[in-house]
Amino acid sequence: MSDPLAKAEAAVTEATSNTDLVQQIVIALQVQQALNGSQQQPSCQHQQSQFDTKKWLTIGGLACVGACVACALAFAFALASIALAIGGTCATACLLVLRSMWRDFQRGR
């Protein structure tokens, strides 16, 4: 009878030591978490700005207006260049005709 009783006492002692071991592990984990919580790395201090829709619509609108103005100026320059070329051609033709007429007039024809 003492043999089963001794086995039961040994099981109780082992369970008690296991419970103490588990409690020590839990305490060690809690201490570790407390230390990690107090030594957290500082978080980023930058302010993340909100997306400003009005600002970007204004910038986009001004870019479109600027592109339209540049296009209109380029078109006006192209038309002016064409007009200058036509004018130069007409002036050259007119001067050639007038020179020919002047020569004929000088020769008495």
Side-chain angles (χ1 to χ4, degrees), residues 36-56:
N36 286 341
S38 66
Q39 294 178 355
Q40 287 181 349
Q41 295 179 353
S43 62
C44 185
Q45 299 297 324
H46 293 96
Q47 295 283 338
Q48 186 172 6
S49 62
Q50 296 285 335
F51 181 77
D52 191 7
T53 306
K54 184 178 179 182
K55 175 181 123 180
W56 287 107

Side-chain angles (χ1 to χ4, degrees), residues 19-71:
T19 304
D20 290 339
L21 181 62
V22 169
Q23 287 177 350
Q24 289 175 359
I25 291 172
V26 169
I27 291 172
L29 288 175
Q30 288 175 350
V31 169
Q32 186 179 13
Q33 288 175 353
L35 288 176
N36 286 341
S38 66
Q39 294 178 355
Q40 287 181 349
Q41 295 179 353
S43 62
C44 185
Q45 299 297 324
H46 293 96
Q47 295 283 338
Q48 186 172 6
S49 62
Q50 296 285 335
F51 181 77
D52 191 7
T53 306
K54 184 178 179 182
K55 175 181 123 180
W56 287 107
L57 284 177
T58 303
I59 290 171
L62 289 175
C64 288
V65 168
C68 289
V69 168
C71 183

Side-chain angles (χ1 to χ4, degrees), residues 96-109:
L96 286 174
V97 169
L98 285 175
R99 187 177 115 195
S100 173
M101 289 173 64
W102 181 256
R103 280 188 182 168
D104 287 343
F105 179 72
Q106 290 290 330
R107 291 184 186 163
R109 293 185 187 175

